[in-house]
Amino acid sequence: SAVISQKPSRDICQRGTSLTIQCQVDSQVTMMFWYRQQPGQSLTLIATANQGSEATYESGFVIDKFPISRPNLTFSTLTVSNMSPEDSSIYLCSVETANTEAFFGQGTRLTVV
Amino acid sequence: GIQVEQSPPDLILQEGANSTLRCNFSDSVNNLQWFHQNPWGQLINLFYIPSGTKQNGRLSATTVATERYSLLYISSSQTTDSGVYFCAGWGAKNDYKLSFGAGTTVTVRA
């Protein structure tokens, strides 16, 4: 299994500002994943982050809006930039263990006002 | 990625009742998991079950990979079982990207 510490757990932000979300894993992992869950919806993959290379973004998500860092094999950050109320969502990071089972952080509940 | 269909979308249960949630996949899956999302948004791993049957307390799950579906059984439901249940998987041709169903919202009434 994997234990993921994600913070902050929640935040209320002003529109136009940026928020950086951090994820720390208790073991080294090759790939980390960032998801968005809009209110009442399922999870949508934002991007996949590999250590030492640029993140790979899914259709509809761009690096300027959601820059990601992956400085080592246990840590990653996601920044939500120039926020608007439409960015209000739960953001979750995830890793997959060697047997491909996925584990998630506690989630960050973001409200943009 | 693969398409994941969950049913029913909503389920209201009286405490003590049993229920079955279903997940259908559009293609073969290499990884199939069930999660429970609590009211605080955290995803709790219930089962990692690419095939076969597993049980954990009052919950059990069965995946029939050849027929591309999985079932989650809740027995003797309790109010703490309330929340959203998601199934997710990635297909044989996919690069480690989980595809999620829309979820089943379960409400257990005392």
Side-chain angles (χ1 to χ4, degrees):
Chain A
S1 68
V3 177
I4 306 170
S5 175
Q6 182 176 342
K7 57 183 181 182
S9 58
R10 59 174 57 229
D11 208 341
I12 301 174
C13 300
Q14 296 291 322
R15 68 180 66 199
T17 63
S18 298
L19 176 71
T20 296
I21 303 167
Q22 299 180 0
C23 264
Q24 179 75 51
V25 190
D26 68 342
S27 58
Q28 294 184 339
V29 292
T30 303
M31 291 186 287
M32 294 181 73
F33 305 87
W34 287 98
Y35 290 83
R36 180 178 72 181
Q37 185 181 24
Q38 295 177 299
Q41 304 296 313
S42 186
L43 280 74
T44 300
L45 182 64
I46 297 172
T48 303
N50 291 329
Q51 191 265 336
S53 63
E54 292 226 347
T56 302
Y57 289 83
E58 297 299 303
S59 176
F61 297 97
V62 295
I63 187 171
D64 290 346
K65 177 67 176 177
F66 298 101
I68 289 171
S69 78
R70 183 79 200 277
N72 57 53
L73 292 174
T74 63
F75 187 78
S76 180
T77 67
L78 169 76
T79 299
V80 186
S81 303
N82 188 26
M83 289 183 285
S84 66
E86 292 71 34
D87 294 319
S88 298
S89 297
I90 298 174
Y91 293 85
L92 300 108
C93 63
S94 171
V95 303
E96 290 179 2
T97 57
N99 70 341
T100 73
E101 183 174 2
F103 291 87
F104 286 80
Q106 303 96 317
T108 297
R109 188 180 294 271
L110 171 63
T111 303
V112 184
V113 297
Chain B
I2 58 173
Q3 305 303 309
V4 183
E5 183 179 304
Q6 286 188 246
S7 60
D10 298 281
L11 193 57
I12 299 176
L13 301 170
Q14 200 62 36
E15 198 169 29
N18 303 328
S19 63
T20 301
L21 283 60
R22 186 178 178 105
C23 188
N24 290 329
F25 291 86
S26 62
D27 203 345
S28 300
V29 290
N30 282 341
N31 171 353
L32 195 155
Q33 293 183 241
W34 285 94
F35 300 92
H36 177 215
Q37 189 168 39
N38 64 25
W40 296 271
Q42 186 173 6
L43 277 177
I44 309 298
N45 287 42
L46 296 178
F47 294 101
Y48 171 76
I49 186 167
S51 63
T53 296
K54 291 185 177 180
Q55 180 156 8
N56 184 3
R58 294 181 297 102
L59 301 181
S60 63
T62 295
T63 296
V64 183
T66 54
E67 298 186 22
R68 302 175 185 174
Y69 74 88
S70 184
L71 303 173
L72 178 69
Y73 307 97
I74 305 174
S75 64
S76 304
S77 58
Q78 300 177 359
T79 56
T80 53
D81 294 330
S82 297
V84 184
Y85 290 80
F86 290 102
C87 63
W90 50 268
K93 302 173 186 176
N94 207 308
D95 293 340
Y96 305 99
K97 298 177 187 176
L98 274 179
S99 295
F100 279 79
T104 294
T105 300
V106 174
T107 303
V108 182
R109 294 178 173 166

